[in-house]
Amino acid sequence: MAIAVLLWRLMGFPLSWRKGSRGTQISWIGGHVALKAGHAGVSVRIAQETFEDARQMVETILGANVVAKRALNSAMGKLAHIANLILVWRPFMASLYTALHADSPPGCPPGCVWVKQISKSLRWFRTFFFLSGGFVERDFDVRCFLRVGVDLEIIIDASPWGLGGILMVSGTCKEHFSSALTVLDEALFSQVRGSADGQHIWECLAALEALPLWRHVWGQRSLILRIRGGSMTMLSLIVNLRPGAEQLGLIGMEIAMECAQAVFVPVLAKHIPGVADVAADVLSRCPQPGYQHVEHIMLKNSFGQEVPARDKSYYITLTEPDVPEKRG
């Protein structure tokens, strides 16, 4: 430690000595970091004061029509501390930064921002606060970063009539699901069932169906998780959480909420050539009128999971979070 400190001093880096700490438990930028037994990883918890201040600031801003940029900047500082721990928050910070650094829009008081400009991100944060149980804590296992652990794979596909997904554990198909597209799906995403025009949207929706269904497997422990599918749009959405089209905005927010609630975020995504996802394709076509379903050999010993109804309450970010519930 002495060598590191001397090196920083020689290079001219300023050090805040009063904030310095060492040992197996330290406080750092609004949070508490503790080394796990056997140096297997670390446990990080956002300070209760930071969490509560951020929540209150979000509520206060949402309760007004305009917000002063100074107040918005203060709130963003609190949110940024939490975003250092929950990386999937970062795409939702972008609209706040844009509004903060842009000129005040027409009709808005000088030095202020219309709340409606940033309300979508703020409502997402508010929903997370309700679902988090009052605090944010994550355990990070060294094995996760070394990519050592259970080999888990989720294979996803969609057709113009339905969605399909398969859970693979160490190369063996364990579970699967098949789900029909609904009238609400058509209304929410401005697409028509039976048309190939919405294929990229339906594949993203299949990912949203699969992640909460198997969150108990991938979300709470160290593992190697691969998301496989034939749509580059879907894979990009999971990795970057930045929707490339307005119609994907809702799905992107919902997938981000799934990842934000989990300990580990899916880190690997793989594109499947068209002929390689046959089993998932079969599942997605089961709801198609007149389709002659023949069970794929890969699914012979797999358990068929029932999926929850995709009504409006299914979408966490569409529901006013008075008494929110998690999917899955």
Side-chain angles (χ1 to χ4, degrees):
M1 179 172 288
I3 292 174
V5 169
L6 287 171
L7 178 62
W8 290 334
R9 297 298 294 157
L10 287 169
M11 296 179 71
F13 296 150
L15 297 177
S16 180
W17 299 102
R18 65 184 180 82
K19 295 181 181 179
S21 61
R22 62 177 296 183
T24 59
Q25 298 186 32
I26 61 173
S27 295
W28 178 75
I29 312 183
H32 183 76
V33 183
L35 189 65
K36 295 171 68 175
H39 295 193
V42 296
S43 175
V44 184
R45 179 168 182 163
I46 293 295
Q48 187 69 31
E49 181 181 356
T50 300
F51 182 91
E52 188 60 26
D53 285 350
R55 188 188 68 80
Q56 290 287 355
M57 287 181 172
V58 168
E59 291 288 355
T60 300
I61 295 173
L62 281 172
N65 290 324
V66 296
V67 57
K69 288 188 175 183
R70 179 177 295 181
L72 178 59
N73 187 58
S74 178
M76 288 173 58
K78 298 290 185 180
L79 294 171
H81 285 325
I82 304 176
N84 287 330
L85 173 59
I86 308 177
L87 300 183
V88 296
W89 276 36
R90 293 182 179 178
F92 297 94
M93 298 288 293
S95 67
L96 306 186
Y97 283 113
T98 300
L100 181 66
H101 296 291
D103 294 334
S104 296
C108 188
C112 295
V113 172
W114 290 116
V115 172
K116 64 182 179 181
Q117 294 178 250
I118 55 177
S119 61
K120 183 179 291 186
S121 291
L122 293 177
R123 288 198 303 269
W124 188 93
F125 288 129
R126 181 175 64 180
T127 301
F128 175 86
F129 287 132
F130 273 93
L131 291 173
S132 64
F135 68 93
V136 179
E137 183 173 6
R138 296 290 185 267
D139 289 331
F140 296 94
D141 197 312
V142 171
R143 293 174 300 171
C144 177
F145 294 95
L146 298 178
R147 294 184 179 176
V148 176
V150 177
D151 189 356
L152 187 71
E153 191 168 61
I154 295 176
I155 304 175
I156 298 164
D157 203 1
S159 76
W161 294 99
L163 316 173
I166 298 171
L167 174 67
M168 305 281 293
V169 180
S170 299
T172 301
C173 182
K174 295 293 187 181
E175 298 180 10
H176 64 272
F177 75 86
S178 176
S179 175
L181 294 173
T182 68
V183 173
L184 180 60
D185 294 332
E186 292 179 306
L188 283 176
F189 305 109
S190 303
Q191 298 294 330
V192 178
R193 287 174 293 175
S195 170
D197 293 343
Q199 183 67 20
H200 63 295
I201 294 177
W202 304 141
E203 294 218 12
C204 293
L205 189 59
L208 176 60
E209 190 94 279
L211 288 174
L213 185 65
W214 291 313
R215 188 199 307 122
H216 65 285
V217 181
W218 67 266
Q220 302 300 322
R221 56 180 174 149
S222 173
L223 45 75
I224 302 170
L225 174 60
R226 287 187 291 270
I227 307 292
R228 297 177 61 186
S231 168
M232 292 301 296
T233 299
M234 179 271 292
L235 297 175
S236 176
L237 183 62
I238 291 178
V239 171
N240 300 315
L241 298 176
R242 292 185 177 92
E246 185 178 350
Q247 294 165 308
L248 296 176
L250 173 60
I251 299 177
M253 289 193 295
E254 295 286 321
I255 289 178
M257 188 63 72
E258 286 301 322
C259 295
Q261 294 178 62
V263 175
F264 298 101
V265 178
V267 292
L268 301 175
K270 185 175 182 181
H271 181 259
I272 303 178
V275 296
D277 59 344
V278 178
D281 178 67
V282 168
L283 291 169
S284 73
R285 293 184 182 278
C286 288
Q288 181 176 328
Y291 180 72
Q292 298 296 318
H293 171 63
V294 178
E295 186 177 62
H296 194 276
I297 188 171
M298 187 177 180
L299 306 175
K300 184 176 180 180
N301 297 315
S302 174
F303 176 74
Q305 280 278 14
E306 291 189 16
V307 296
R310 276 194 317 278
D311 54 19
K312 194 170 182 179
S313 65
Y314 177 82
Y315 297 93
I316 296 171
T317 55
L318 285 183
T319 306
E320 284 300 318
D322 295 325
V323 187
E325 294 182 359
K326 296 180 181 180
R327 282 184 295 257

